[in-house]
Amino acid sequence: MAIQSIFGKVAQIKKHIENLSDRQLSKELDENSNLLLVDIREIQERVDLGTIPGAVHAPRGMLEFWADPQSPYYRDYFTEDKRIVLFCAGGGRSAFATQSLMDMGYKNVAHLEPGFDGWAKAGQPVQDVSETSRWVRRET
């Protein structure tokens, strides 16, 4: 069996989840105080490039553990009553993450389809977190 393209899988997932544009997310951020915006990129991406203002960081590798109330890693900002919007760099990882949270039982989940890169290229606000992060890039 040949290896299937991950991009084909992402395209399939996007047919069954809510895909937000940067303008739609901007509007939701202005209008919905019960929105949980989650940056699932790796910490170094967040520190190097910034993030969307107000986003919490939940690395993709820990997302389901942080979102599971039965997990010892649970973060209490994940609640069933919140609107959850996820983003990564380009919209691929966040599509998988959105599907995963839906599979866990979260009902009101979407992702930023163009990702953080699309958000920033559209001129939307970006927060520099490099000064407040405990993560440090070490020169080799």
Side-chain angles (χ1 to χ4, degrees), residues 8-130:
K9 181 69 174 169
V10 168
Q12 287 297 316
I13 289 171
K14 285 183 178 183
K15 291 178 184 178
H16 304 285
I17 63 173
E18 186 176 357
N19 303 281
L20 298 177
S21 69
D22 64 283
R23 288 184 186 172
Q24 289 170 312
L25 176 56
S26 181
K27 183 178 181 195
E28 282 203 40
L29 288 169
D30 288 342
E31 296 175 356
N32 187 349
S33 62
N34 200 34
L35 187 142
L36 175 62
L37 182 61
V38 184
D39 184 345
I40 65 162
R41 296 174 300 156
E42 298 295 324
I43 188 69
Q44 66 270 22
E45 293 174 277
R46 183 176 162 91
V47 171
D48 288 349
L49 302 171
T51 193
I52 298 174
V56 298
H57 183 237
R60 178 67 191 102
M62 290 301 294
L63 178 67
E64 292 82 356
F65 296 97
W66 287 12
D68 178 357
Q70 304 303 311
S71 168
Y73 302 105
Y74 177 65
R75 301 295 196 262
D76 64 2
Y77 45 76
F78 284 99
T79 60
E80 291 182 62
D81 64 322
K82 287 194 177 170
R83 164 74 160 161
I84 301 173
V85 178
L86 307 161
F87 69 92
C88 63
R93 289 173 286 177
S94 59
F96 275 101
T98 298
Q99 183 64 61
S100 183
L101 288 185
M102 291 170 60
D103 290 347
M104 289 176 70
Y106 285 92
K107 305 260 186 271
N108 196 358
V109 186
H111 85 117
L112 178 60
E113 198 280 328
F116 176 79
D117 295 346
W119 174 269
K121 286 178 185 170
Q124 297 285 5
V126 173
Q127 177 185 2
D128 181 356
V129 295
S130 62

